[in-house]
Amino acid sequence: MLDAGGLFVVGTERHESRRIDNQLRGRSGRQGDPGRSKFYLCLEDDLLRIFGPDTLFAKMMNNNLEDGEAIGSRWLSKAIETAQKKVEARNYDIRKQVVEYDDVMNDQRKVIYEQREDIMDADDLDDVIIDMRAETVNMLVADACPPETYPEQWDKDGLQNRVREVLNLELPILEWCAEEGIDPDALDTRILAAAEAALAEKCAQIEPDDWNQVVKSILLQSLDHHWKEHLATLDALRQVIHLRAYAQKTPINEYKREAFGLFERMLVAIRENVTQVLSYIQLTFEQPELPKMPDFITTHIDPLTGEDDSADIDGGDLGLVTTRLPPLQMVQPDMVDELGEDPADWEGQVSRNAPCPCGSGQKYKHCHGAL
């Protein structure tokens, strides 16, 4: 091959990346070996048609070129290299945006995974539940009783319905709101005290270790469920966020802002869901029933008379009707005559796994053939 001049690489087009072209050229002269490379292009290639200079084709057509005529010039090679640089810059921007979008999701993933690990490693989750319940009650009161408003402007019926729905409590919200000098903080304190009393009553019914396992299971299930929904929402948001560019807004900045708001709403939903489940849960622990012994209802045939004498057999202290299994073979006179009446003569004539000729229902090795 060296005598023929080395490797000759022929390229049918120029790639979007200059790195690929340089790799092909490098194959023709590796480690100082002789070789050549040559690339052939068409004016209809995507690289020239989409990313080439606007005046490139006009200049080529004005020269009245014939079909199949080759064009070679430094100016054309420079135009191709410029088009490749544009493609590389575009691909770099795409990869950079992908990383920026992934960083937003990765930051939220770290927070969720840290919380999940803390829940799994915690021996006592009462503090977590207390904080979630307090924040949930505070949110319910804040939604119904906005700050700097009068009691006449509060949504009393809405607050009572939300307390019934989330905390499973029937509280005199309307009477409390009618009291003179009532404020949102007082409502918050009363509702939270009632919720804590109801939950403490449930905790007293079971062991602390069992209660901790129940709370841990509820927390993990709620966290995983809302996190999966949040990931699906972020994926859908990412598909349409580029439309914000028509409003002269940067899509990545809008994505970060929207993702942060969705993350905050997810945390609120988790706190409310856990509080609601613990408010409605009813725990009962029952001892498992002992398995019942099966009743052995079989028959026993007397080998001499051939009659069923199972009624004469006592079931013992268990009160069960326990009898022997049906005999595998009853006494047959012709078989006894053939083998002989003396069981000592049966040895060697009867298989050890065959029924005993005496008709006991057992195998020969467990009956007269026992060692």
Side-chain angles (χ1 to χ4, degrees), residues 200-211:
E201 183 178 354
K202 294 181 180 180
C203 295
Q205 299 176 1
I206 60 176
E207 297 294 332
D209 294 339
D210 297 336
W211 173 254

Side-chain angles (χ1 to χ4, degrees), residues 30-268:
R30 295 187 64 83
Q31 299 181 359
D33 293 339
R36 295 184 59 188
S37 63
K38 194 172 188 64
F39 289 83
Y40 294 91
L41 290 85
C42 178
L43 295 179
E44 297 179 357
D45 288 348
D46 293 338
L47 184 64
L48 296 178
R49 183 172 53 86
I50 299 177
F51 298 100
D54 296 336
T55 59
L56 176 61
F57 302 106
K59 292 181 179 180
M60 294 299 177
M61 297 304 294
N62 292 335
N63 291 334
N64 297 323
L65 299 176
E66 297 181 359
D67 293 339
E69 182 178 353
I71 304 173
S73 66
R74 298 179 59 185
W75 172 79
L76 183 59
S77 299
K78 188 68 175 179
I80 296 174
E81 185 177 355
T82 302
Q84 286 180 318
K85 290 182 179 179
K86 291 181 180 179
V87 177
E88 292 174 358
R90 175 176 173 271
N91 294 336
Y92 174 78
D93 292 339
I94 293 175
R95 293 193 301 270
K96 184 178 179 181
Q97 289 183 1
V98 170
V99 173
E100 291 178 350
Y101 283 106
D102 288 342
D103 287 341
V104 176
M105 187 180 299
N106 190 42
D107 294 339
Q108 297 182 2
R109 184 184 292 108
K110 291 180 180 179
V111 175
I112 292 296
Y113 282 10
E114 289 178 359
Q115 293 183 357
R116 202 177 192 280
E117 291 179 358
D118 294 341
I119 292 174
M120 295 181 65
D121 297 337
D123 297 330
D124 188 3
L125 296 171
D126 291 341
D127 294 339
V128 178
I129 298 303
I130 291 174
D131 294 340
M132 286 187 172
R133 184 166 55 251
E135 293 177 1
T136 300
V137 172
N138 183 267
M139 181 195 65
L140 296 178
V141 175
D143 292 342
C145 308
E148 299 181 359
T149 56
Y150 296 100
E152 292 80 7
Q153 300 173 328
W154 294 349
D155 186 9
K156 309 177 186 62
D157 295 333
L159 178 60
Q160 188 170 16
N161 293 333
R162 290 288 290 164
V163 169
R164 184 186 303 110
E165 177 185 354
V166 178
L167 302 177
N168 193 24
L169 295 175
E170 291 291 344
L171 301 178
I173 303 295
L174 300 179
E175 298 178 3
W176 292 350
C177 294
E179 295 179 2
E180 184 177 357
I182 192 68
D183 58 355
D185 293 337
L187 286 177
D188 193 330
T189 303
R190 294 181 182 182
I191 296 175
L192 184 59
E196 291 179 350
L199 192 61
E201 183 178 354
K202 294 181 180 180
C203 295
Q205 299 176 1
I206 60 176
E207 297 294 332
D209 294 339
D210 297 336
W211 173 254
N212 188 66
Q213 292 297 327
V214 171
V215 172
K216 182 178 295 187
S217 177
I218 294 175
L219 281 171
L220 293 177
Q221 290 179 8
S222 179
L223 187 65
D224 295 343
H225 173 71
H226 287 85
W227 174 243
K228 288 187 292 185
E229 290 188 346
H230 179 69
L231 290 179
T233 304
L234 288 182
D235 186 65
L237 176 64
R238 183 173 175 178
Q239 301 298 327
V240 300
I241 198 64
H242 66 277
L243 298 176
R244 302 288 180 91
Y246 292 105
Q248 305 300 321
K249 297 180 180 179
T250 306
I252 184 61
N253 295 336
E254 292 295 309
Y255 181 79
K256 293 179 179 179
R257 184 177 62 83
E258 293 287 346
F260 180 78
L262 291 173
F263 188 75
E264 290 292 334
R265 286 194 287 272
M266 181 195 66
L267 297 179
V268 172

Side-chain angles (χ1 to χ4, degrees), residues 299-359:
T299 59
H300 178 262
I301 305 299
D302 193 320
L304 299 179
T305 62
E307 297 179 357
D308 183 5
D309 58 355
S310 58
D312 299 335
I313 300 177
D314 188 6
D317 297 336
L318 297 177
L320 303 176
V321 181
T322 57
T323 64
R324 297 180 181 179
L325 294 175
L328 299 176
Q329 181 178 356
M330 293 192 304
V331 176
Q332 299 181 7
D334 54 350
M335 188 174 184
V336 175
D337 295 341
E338 180 181 353
L339 299 176
E341 296 182 357
D342 188 2
D345 299 336
W346 299 347
E347 186 176 357
Q349 303 184 48
V350 181
S351 175
R352 295 186 54 79
N353 290 322
C356 187
C358 72

